[in-house]
Each structure stands twice: as C-alpha cells, then as structure tokens.
Amino acid sequence: KLLDQQLCARADFERSERKGQRGTKDRSEKIRTYNFQRDEVVDHRLPKDQGGSGHSASDVLFAGGLEQILLAHQAQTRRMYLGQAAT
C-alpha cells in the first residue's frame, strides 16, 4: 500500500511537470521566429541585448548558430536561478 502511494505521488508529479512544460500552446508562448526574407531569427525568450535578436537564419540552420542562441538562453536561465537563490 505504501508503494502504491509513492508510485501515485510520483506519477502525479511527473504528469504536472509534463503539463507545465507543454504549456497552453498559445501564440504568446512562441519561442522563435524565423524570417527567411530578412534572413533573421528572433528568440522571444531572450532580451534583445542578451542575444534574442540579430541572428542570421542561414547561420542558425547551417552553420551552428543555434548553439549561440542556446548558450545565451542557458546563461539567462542560470542568472535567473542564481537571482532566485540569492533572495
């Protein structure tokens, strides 16, 4: 019975985590915009001054430019967690 309670609690936790990661799929949750006419990629999760815009679409797709965006996002996430831990 105790094992069943633990399994149910874990399943509930995992279900809520997955639901939180999925989001509402609303347009406002958009992560990136690829504009091929202007050859630009905008990451909406990052501020413009921290690597959110100014990326070339061809570089992101073919030259490893996506790694730059992901590293900037990782740095922002780290700053956010450190700020939360400090308070």
Side-chain angles (χ1 to χ4, degrees):
K1 187 170 181 169
L2 183 59
L3 179 62
D4 286 340
Q5 288 176 343
Q6 289 176 344
L7 291 175
C8 285
R10 183 176 175 93
D12 289 342
F13 173 74
E14 289 176 356
R15 192 176 308 116
S16 67
E17 285 293 308
R18 268 190 239 112
K19 187 175 182 179
Q21 289 175 358
R22 225 176 321 150
T24 62
K25 297 182 183 170
D26 190 29
R27 185 173 172 85
S28 65
E29 291 183 337
K30 186 175 8 175
I31 294 174
R32 254 179 239 108
T33 298
Y34 293 84
N35 188 330
F36 293 102
Q37 284 95 9
R38 294 193 327 218
D39 190 38
E40 106 179 318
V41 175
V42 177
D43 191 311
H44 300 283
R45 298 175 294 179
L46 297 171
K48 289 183 180 182
D49 62 341
Q50 294 179 7
S53 64
H55 301 283
S56 167
S58 57
D59 286 348
V60 168
L61 293 175
F62 303 115
L66 184 60
E67 185 175 351
Q68 294 173 353
I69 295 174
L70 294 177
L71 288 174
H73 182 64
Q74 198 174 40
Q76 181 198 24
T77 304
R78 187 175 299 121
R79 282 190 300 274
M80 180 187 69
Y81 284 136
L82 288 174
Q84 289 176 353
T87 58

